[in-house]
Amino acid sequence: MTDPLCIVAVDFWPLRIPLARPYRLSSHYGTLTHGQAVLLRVTLANGVVGWGEADPHAEFDGYTLEGVIEALKSRAPQLLGVSVADWVEQGLGLQHEGSPSAAIDVACFDALARARGVPVHALVGARQHEGIDSLWPTSNGEASDDLAVIDEYAAKGFKTYMLKMGDRPIEAEIERSKAVMAAKPGEVKIMVDANQGWSREEAQRYAEGAGDLPIVLIEQPLAADDLEGLAALCRASKLPISVDESLQSRRSVDAILRAGAGDVFSIKISKNGGLANSRAIGQAVEAAGKHILMNSMIELGVTQAASLQLGVTFKALAPCGHAYMSCLRMADDVTDFADCLVNGRAYLRDAPGLGIQVHLEKIQQYQIGDYHVG
Ligand SMILES: [Mg+2]
C-alpha cells in the first residue's frame, strides 16, 4: 500500500512580480524593481499539498533564477516516493543548502502539517510569541527621505525602521542617523544595514560617530567573509553588529560564533536553505546567548509565512521589529500573507500548515515558466 504521506507530484513555477516602489540598496547591489521567486508545490498520495518558495538573489545566496530552476529540475524527480514525515522527522532538509532546498524543505513541512491538521510551528518547536512586530525598510538616501517613509508607516503601526546605507560618505550617514533620531526621539527604533558597503575604517567611524544613538543594530557593515574585521568591530562598537550576508549556512554560524564576529544573526528562510537549516542556525545562536533577527529577501507570502512560523518558536528574538513586510512591498502577491499583518505586527492564523492561502490563478498570472514531475 502506498504511504499516504509520500510525494507523488512536484510542480514549480518561476515568477516575476514588480515591486510597489523601486528599492535603492547600497552601491554594491543597485536598485531593485522586481521580485523573482520560484513557487513549488508537492502533492502527497492522500491528495494533501504543501507549498514552498525559493527567492534567489545571487549576491546573497549564490543562486540566480535560472540556477534555482536547474537545481529543482534535477532534484524534483528524486522527491517522488519520499515521505514528508521522514523528510521532517529525520531532518532530510539538513542535507542541502541554498534557496532551491528552501523551497523543497518548506513544502515538505507545510504538507506534513496540513496532513496532520497542525500549524507548521508545532512541527518546529515550542511557541514563544503570539505575534512579532514588523520593521519597515527605507531606501538609501537622505534623512528627509527616511522621515517621509517613517511618517507614512508610523501611521500604519510600524515602530522599527531599517535604514539602508553603504554608498555615501560616513559623515553624511552619521548626520543622517542623528537627524532621524532627533526628529523622532523615543518614538521609533532604528537599525542600519550597510550591505557590505563599508571598509573596516569606515565602519569603525560610523560605530564611533553613531555609538551614542539608540540604534538597535548595524547590519553587515563589512564584506561577508571579513570575520576578523567584524570581530574587531563587535569588540569596539557600543552598538550590536548583525551578520546577514556572512550567515549562509550552519557552518558559517559556527565560524561566526567562534570568531566572535556577530551579536545579532539575520536569519532568512530562503537564503538559509529552509526551515530545518534555519531552525538549526537559530538554535546555535540561542545556545551562544546571541540574538536573532528574522529577516527577509524580497519575497512572497510562502517564505514570509515560513519565517513567521519559525520566528514564533525563538526566545532570543532581537528586541525590535522583524522583516514581515515583504508582501506589502510587492505590487501583488500569490498568497494572502499580507492580511496577517495588523497594525505593523505579524500574527499567525490558527490554521494547519503555513496558515496562508496560495492562489494558483495569481501564480499563473505572473509565471514565466512551469515545470511538472510525477
Ligand atoms: Mg541585510
Side-chain angles (χ1 to χ4, degrees):
M1 202 179 72
T2 311
D3 177 347
L5 296 177
C6 272
I7 296 171
V8 296
V10 181
D11 308 280
F12 60 95
W13 300 265
L15 312 176
R16 199 170 140 80
I17 300 185
L19 292 177
R21 294 178 198 174
Y23 184 34
R24 174 111 179 84
L25 291 154
S26 71
S27 51
H28 196 78
Y29 297 96
T31 300
L32 298 175
T33 60
H34 282 73
Q36 55 183 17
V38 179
L39 267 283
L40 180 137
R41 182 181 68 189
V42 297
T43 304
L44 308 186
N46 63 7
V48 169
V49 304
W51 289 94
E53 176 187 327
D55 309 292
H57 291 264
E59 295 270 17
F60 278 82
D61 71 347
Y63 275 97
T64 60
L65 190 67
E66 295 69 28
V68 170
I69 293 167
E70 288 311 309
L72 291 177
K73 273 161 71 176
S74 78
R75 287 187 58 193
Q78 301 161 20
L79 295 171
L80 300 180
V82 171
S83 156
V84 290
D86 290 348
W87 182 280
V88 169
E89 286 157 6
Q90 296 176 17
L92 301 185
L94 296 171
Q95 293 175 356
H96 298 272
E97 291 168 344
S99 54
S101 305
I104 295 169
D105 189 54
V106 170
C108 290
F109 271 86
D110 186 32
L112 181 62
R114 288 179 194 240
R116 290 184 175 167
V118 299
V120 163
H121 67 77
L123 301 180
V124 173
R127 185 171 183 173
Q128 310 291 332
H129 311 278
E130 275 304 307
I132 301 177
D133 280 347
S134 181
L135 63 83
W136 193 271
T138 75
S139 280
N140 236 309
E142 311 269 343
S144 57
D145 303 321
D146 298 323
L147 289 168
V149 172
I150 290 170
D151 285 340
E152 180 181 351
Y153 284 92
K156 297 177 181 174
F158 291 85
K159 300 177 192 74
T160 298
Y161 296 87
M162 176 184 271
L163 275 50
K164 288 289 174 181
M165 298 191 172
D167 62 356
R168 299 197 313 160
I170 285 296
E171 283 63 34
E173 300 291 33
I174 294 169
E175 287 312 308
R176 174 187 170 194
S177 307
K178 286 180 177 171
V180 170
M181 299 306 298
K184 301 286 169 191
E187 288 174 47
V188 297
K189 293 181 177 179
I190 300 295
M191 57 179 74
V192 307
D193 187 354
N195 283 117
Q196 314 188 63
W198 291 337
S199 67
R200 288 184 181 185
E201 187 269 333
E202 287 173 319
Q204 184 64 43
R205 264 165 45 219
Y206 183 86
E208 280 169 16
D212 291 329
L213 297 174
I215 289 174
V216 178
L217 57 86
I218 303 173
E219 185 156 277
Q220 204 65 55
L222 304 180
D225 61 1
D226 188 8
L227 297 192
E228 193 185 309
L230 287 165
L233 196 60
C234 283
R235 291 192 295 273
S237 171
K238 281 193 262 182
L239 302 174
I241 303 301
S242 170
V243 283
D244 178 1
E245 288 91 328
S246 297
L247 182 62
Q248 291 293 329
S249 64
R250 287 176 287 125
R251 279 186 312 282
S252 56
V253 74
D254 293 339
I256 295 163
L257 287 169
R258 263 198 315 277
D263 303 305
V264 180
F265 290 71
S266 224
I267 292 179
K268 297 175 173 174
I269 298 291
S270 184
K271 172 191 77 173
N272 292 129
L275 282 163
N277 281 309
S278 297
R279 172 177 58 187
I281 289 170
Q283 287 170 339
V285 172
E286 289 192 317
K290 305 290 186 181
H291 277 115
I292 293 165
L293 179 66
M294 293 307 293
N295 209 333
S296 73
M297 318 291 272
I298 301 287
E299 63 196 31
L300 303 175
V302 172
T303 301
Q304 287 270 276
S307 176
L308 184 56
Q309 295 279 349
L310 178 62
V312 297
T313 70
F314 287 138
K315 287 183 183 158
L317 293 182
C320 58
H322 297 250
Y324 293 113
M325 70 295 144
S326 184
C327 299
L328 296 181
R329 303 177 64 211
M330 308 301 300
D332 201 356
D333 184 23
V334 299
T335 79
D336 61 353
F337 180 82
D339 297 341
C340 297
L341 268 178
V342 180
N343 206 20
R345 192 168 169 83
Y347 294 94
L348 288 173
R349 284 205 194 94
D350 189 16
L354 291 170
I356 49 166
Q357 301 280 336
V358 180
H359 303 299
L360 197 55
E361 71 280 6
K362 288 283 188 185
I363 290 175
Q364 287 160 347
Q365 182 180 343
Y366 294 106
Q367 74 179 46
I368 53 175
D370 59 323
Y371 301 87
H372 311 279
V373 178

